[in-house]
Amino acid sequence: MPPSEERKKKVDTEALHSSFMRIPRMKVEVARYLLDVGYQDIFELEGRSPETLHEDVKRHHPDLRPDTLQYLRMAVYCAENEQPDPKKCHPTAWFD
């Protein structure tokens, strides 16, 4: 195998094709985290606490990136709003 192919990242097709990827600016990595803790669809995030989701994910992935909470906040917001405000569909809108 050529060295360039060895360095290619493995593509997470399950996460990439999950409903979570319909959330604007969602990272595949965060979609994977949600799948890993048992969520399969966006509607399942309605009424959930992003902080609790973050703790659940952290139990499975102790090396969690610091910005994951912002993505989870954005995901819950999008799940709870049929017509989300485009300004809130960006992880930077969800900093503490």
Side-chain angles (χ1 to χ4, degrees), residues 14-72:
E14 181 185 17
L16 189 61
H17 295 297
S18 72
S19 68
F20 301 117
M21 295 308 296
R22 291 193 309 249
I23 298 170
R25 296 177 186 86
M26 178 57 77
K27 285 185 173 183
V28 175
E29 178 182 36
V30 179
R32 165 50 53 204
Y33 294 157
L34 289 167
L35 292 169
D36 287 350
V37 295
Y39 296 96
Q40 298 297 314
D41 210 320
I42 297 169
F43 75 87
E44 295 175 303
L45 302 178
E46 289 179 34
R48 304 287 181 202
S49 160
E51 290 75 13
T52 302
L53 288 173
H54 189 258
E55 289 304 315
D56 292 344
V57 169
K58 202 170 190 173
R59 275 189 233 111
H60 285 82
H61 300 277
D63 58 339
L64 201 59
R65 291 175 44 124
D67 66 344
T68 303
L69 180 57
Q70 282 72 257
Y71 283 90
L72 295 173

Side-chain angles (χ1 to χ4, degrees), residues 23-24 42 73-82 84 88-89 94:
I23 298 170
I42 297 169
R73 287 176 176 160
M74 181 180 71
V76 170
Y77 170 77
C78 288
E80 293 177 343
N81 292 277
E82 197 171 310
K88 292 184 177 182
C89 291
W94 297 98

